[in-house]
Amino acid sequence: MIRRFVTGTPLDTEAVLHKPEPTDSAVPYFEKTERGFTYRLDKDDVVYGLGENVRGINKRGWVYESCCVDEPNHQEDTKSLYGAHNFLIVSGRERCFGLFLDTPGKVKFDIGYTHYDRMEIIMEDDSFELYVIDADSPDEVVHEFRSVTGRSYIPPKWAFGFGQCRWSYYTADEVREVARQYRENHIPLDMVYLDIDYMERYKDFTVDRKAFPDFEELVAEMKEQGIRLIPIIDAGVKVEEGYDVYEEGVENQYFCKDGDGEDFVVGVWPGKCHFPDMLNDEARRWFGHKYKFLLDKGIEGFWNDMNEPAVFYSEKRLKRIFEQLEKYKTMNLDVNTFFEFRNLVSTVSGNPEDYRSFFHNYKGQKIRHDKVHNLFGYYMTRSASEAFDELVPDKRILMFSRASYIGMHRYGGIWMGDNKSWWSHLLMNLKMLPSLNMCGFLYTGADIGGFGADATQDLLLRWLALGIFMPLMRDHSAAGTRRQEAYAFDDTQSARDIIGLRYRLIPYIYSEYMKAALKDEMYARPLGFVWGDDPIAVHVEDQLMIGESIMIAPVYEQNAAGRVVYLPEEMKLLRFAGTEITEERVLEKGHHYISVGLNEVVIFLRRGHILPLSSRAERVDQIDWENLELHHFADDGAVYELYDDDGVDREVTLEGHIRTLAV
């Protein structure tokens, strides 16, 4: 049952498609406070959700702020990340319910941080919509929530292959070299991503013809090898006379305005930029149709970045800072003035003052940006998706974003932001996956190997061993860091084999993804969603169910030769060394130490279930879907419903695409 409560005059974020009639009764379970609500937590309550965030699958014990930020150095004390997902589930002995707070401004979730037995929700805006979802289990809560927020985004089938990215591949020849290395080393690959340096001076919807003189030919050449080029699109439009996107935006009043009604000027990659007003219906449609520039060149996928939106500086604030810095030139900087000086410079980027300094035109209403901040990335990705409906109506386009809000899950996926080559971020990748799935974001994954800092060979191999189960599987690293392509380390064989196993798993991964999307379910679930009556399983944070058949328990510590795994029931261990199974054995319920070499992947198969595997392939379109190996744990037989389609058609249903496999 879903109940909707409306307070004040909230802006319609369009996160919810099918709204129940509002009720006048009091919000159940919660006590109203001056700025929000409180809920008394039982000692056994588990709090799931909040999508993209740090810490555990169970969110108890920390305070989270729903406010999209560009925060590449996130650690345990981080409160906000790139997405804002105000959906959570409370699962306990007394009750199980979900809560979605639909408000586009900042929200604070104090979940047992100030008081361990209390959850407090604090809002900056006193106008909001609140949805309470009662169900018998967390799985049911998610299903009910997705039934009103809409179907999750469905990417093309080739987007389940492996992708290679770096900031940056600077020239067409460098792209060709990456592709050559992968193909000659027989490492599977379906995508190469282009970061900001493919553009002409970082201008959206341009190509640097000096670095990529034959861009169209490059796109076609790569596609002949089964490789798609996936360019980045940023949120800021460069201020430059003669640049058509800039001039059209100025002429048609499509950019966000400052308090004086002038186009707001911020600094991003190209220097001075304007933000397209993504909340303005006309501006959003205009920006979305700009993707045609690259679609016409054969591009079939994009990733939207810097769309929290990230602000290096605002022009007006930067001017004031330079004026203030002049005063420090002649000063004796003591302990106080030195820190004033340092803070003046260090707070120039992403300053809250800047987000209060520009405005949107939302359906004729002038709205200050900070009041709707969390919608920007969502609406930017929506602009592209809605344009694709018109420009390429018969073909799925890959689209994912850095910033997001609930509702964006209908238009694209997300990657988990600019992480680091840290073992802690490998574990965070695992824990974030089910939390995002709860919010409808099924097509997601982290930058394998870590974006910032220097990866090591063992970290990359362990991350690949987790990444093969992520719908979005991409290796990405930052400029100035160590190269971490799969062929960049000594042990190319292990990287080749682990990625090769991904391709053997794609029939299962794609099938489970599509069934989850079409049934409004989850692709990856915490053990507590499956074994809710098992107090040990409920608190396991480093193992996941992937689809209906398999459980994974990745190794995420440096120099570890294996790990302890908890089995909530009897399961069959499948050990892969290379792409082949080297060990099969049944393990009883309980704790087991499992050795896992750097070249190995271990999967646990549920009783009564089947895991279909294809033969090896080096690109998705080479996968043999007809002659699958069926590995099972079933004494009396088992059945698996395999979903398959052409991977291109946007009109998809379960009917006509299910093939029954039996042992």
Side-chain angles (χ1 to χ4, degrees), residues 1-5 23 25-32 37-39 95 97-99 130-134:
M1 180 177 68
I2 303 178
R3 285 172 282 184
R4 172 175 166 236
F5 304 86
T23 177
S25 61
V27 176
Y29 317 135
F30 285 84
E31 179 182 336
K32 186 75 174 69
F37 301 89
T38 62
Y39 177 79
R95 61 179 66 97
F97 69 93
L99 180 143
L130 179 68
Y131 296 79
V132 177
I133 306 166
D134 290 297

Side-chain angles (χ1 to χ4, degrees), residues 416-457:
M416 297 174 184
D418 294 345
N419 58 4
K420 294 283 191 178
S421 297
W422 297 341
W423 291 88
S424 61
H425 279 192
L426 165 56
L427 179 58
M428 189 186 301
N429 180 184
L430 180 145
K431 294 182 178 183
M432 204 180 288
L433 177 62
S435 299
L436 284 166
N437 271 209
M438 294 173 205
C439 298
F441 293 94
L442 300 186
Y443 190 75
T444 184
D447 286 342
I448 291 172
F451 176 68
D454 291 326
T456 58
Q457 176 175 278

Side-chain angles (χ1 to χ4, degrees), residues 337-457:
T337 51
F338 171 74
F339 283 108
E340 288 176 4
F341 162 77
R342 191 177 71 171
N343 289 340
L344 185 66
V345 176
S346 66
T347 58
V348 66
S349 296
N351 193 283
E353 177 188 335
D354 291 335
Y355 292 116
R356 294 191 294 267
S357 300
F358 66 97
F359 297 82
H360 296 271
N361 175 7
Y362 178 75
K363 301 187 186 306
Q365 179 184 0
K366 182 180 177 181
I367 299 178
R368 202 173 74 191
H369 172 80
D370 63 309
K371 302 295 184 182
V372 292
H373 172 73
N374 293 330
L375 297 182
F376 193 94
Y378 159 26
Y379 275 53
M380 178 183 176
T381 298
R382 175 180 172 179
S383 76
S385 178
E386 291 177 338
F388 300 155
D389 290 342
E390 298 181 40
L391 299 172
V392 279
D394 299 324
K395 182 168 64 175
R396 302 180 209 168
I397 299 295
L398 174 60
M399 168 55 69
F400 59 91
S401 170
R402 193 169 74 175
S404 60
Y405 182 83
I406 285 173
M408 200 203 82
H409 70 281
R410 301 189 297 270
Y411 303 106
I414 67 170
W415 91 97
M416 297 174 184
D418 294 345
N419 58 4
K420 294 283 191 178
S421 297
W422 297 341
W423 291 88
S424 61
H425 279 192
L426 165 56
L427 179 58
M428 189 186 301
N429 180 184
L430 180 145
K431 294 182 178 183
M432 204 180 288
L433 177 62
S435 299
L436 284 166
N437 271 209
M438 294 173 205
C439 298
F441 293 94
L442 300 186
Y443 190 75
T444 184
D447 286 342
I448 291 172
F451 176 68
D454 291 326
T456 58
Q457 176 175 278

Side-chain angles (χ1 to χ4, degrees), residues 397-648:
I397 299 295
L398 174 60
M399 168 55 69
F400 59 91
S401 170
R402 193 169 74 175
S404 60
Y405 182 83
I406 285 173
M408 200 203 82
H409 70 281
R410 301 189 297 270
Y411 303 106
I414 67 170
W415 91 97
M416 297 174 184
D418 294 345
N419 58 4
K420 294 283 191 178
S421 297
W422 297 341
W423 291 88
S424 61
H425 279 192
L426 165 56
L427 179 58
M428 189 186 301
N429 180 184
L430 180 145
K431 294 182 178 183
M432 204 180 288
L433 177 62
S435 299
L436 284 166
N437 271 209
M438 294 173 205
C439 298
F441 293 94
L442 300 186
Y443 190 75
T444 184
D447 286 342
I448 291 172
F451 176 68
D454 291 326
T456 58
Q457 176 175 278
D458 56 343
L459 175 63
L460 180 65
L461 291 175
R462 292 301 194 196
W463 214 318
L464 285 170
L466 169 61
I468 63 174
F469 301 101
M470 300 284 158
L472 169 57
M473 186 185 183
R474 178 177 80 156
D475 179 327
H476 186 27
S477 56
T481 64
R482 184 181 189 181
R483 299 300 290 244
Q484 63 185 50
E485 290 84 358
Y487 53 77
F489 295 96
D490 294 335
D491 191 0
T492 301
Q493 179 68 46
S494 292
R496 176 191 303 119
D497 288 339
I498 294 172
I499 298 171
L501 179 56
R502 160 62 168 223
Y503 281 66
R504 296 200 68 196
L505 286 163
I506 281 178
Y508 177 77
I509 290 171
Y510 184 72
S511 179
E512 292 302 300
Y513 182 98
M514 293 299 289
K515 288 187 291 187
L518 295 173
K519 293 180 180 180
D520 292 332
E521 295 176 350
M522 294 172 63
Y523 164 83
R525 291 176 292 169
L527 302 197
F529 275 47
V530 183
W531 295 278
D533 295 331
D534 183 335
I536 298 176
V538 167
H539 294 289
V540 171
E541 294 260 322
D542 57 359
Q543 302 171 206
L544 294 178
M545 280 297 300
I546 300 296
E548 67 174 55
S549 298
I550 62 173
M551 184 183 76
I552 63 170
V555 176
Y556 52 85
E557 293 181 332
Q558 190 164 30
N559 299 318
R563 55 161 293 173
V564 174
V565 176
Y566 176 68
L567 303 185
E569 61 185 38
E570 187 181 59
M571 291 184 174
K572 178 185 278 191
L573 178 150
L574 302 178
R575 180 185 303 275
F576 292 84
T579 59
E580 303 303 319
I581 294 176
T582 57
E583 179 186 11
E584 295 187 51
R585 60 187 168 106
V586 175
L587 299 175
E588 64 183 16
K589 174 181 177 177
H591 289 91
H592 303 267
Y593 178 80
I594 307 296
S595 64
V596 186
L598 283 172
N599 66 328
E600 294 181 324
V601 175
V602 174
I603 295 171
F604 301 89
L605 182 59
R606 292 193 72 184
R607 178 178 286 280
H609 288 75
I610 295 172
L611 174 64
L613 296 175
S614 71
S615 55
R616 285 194 66 153
E618 293 186 16
R619 42 197 270 192
V620 168
D621 62 8
Q622 294 176 342
I623 293 173
D624 182 356
W625 284 72
E626 296 302 319
N627 302 295
L628 300 175
E629 295 178 16
L630 304 184
H631 297 272
H632 64 90
F633 180 24
D635 299 330
D636 301 320
V639 171
Y640 178 75
E641 291 187 339
L642 179 77
Y643 178 95
D644 187 25
D645 60 20
D646 64 7
V648 176

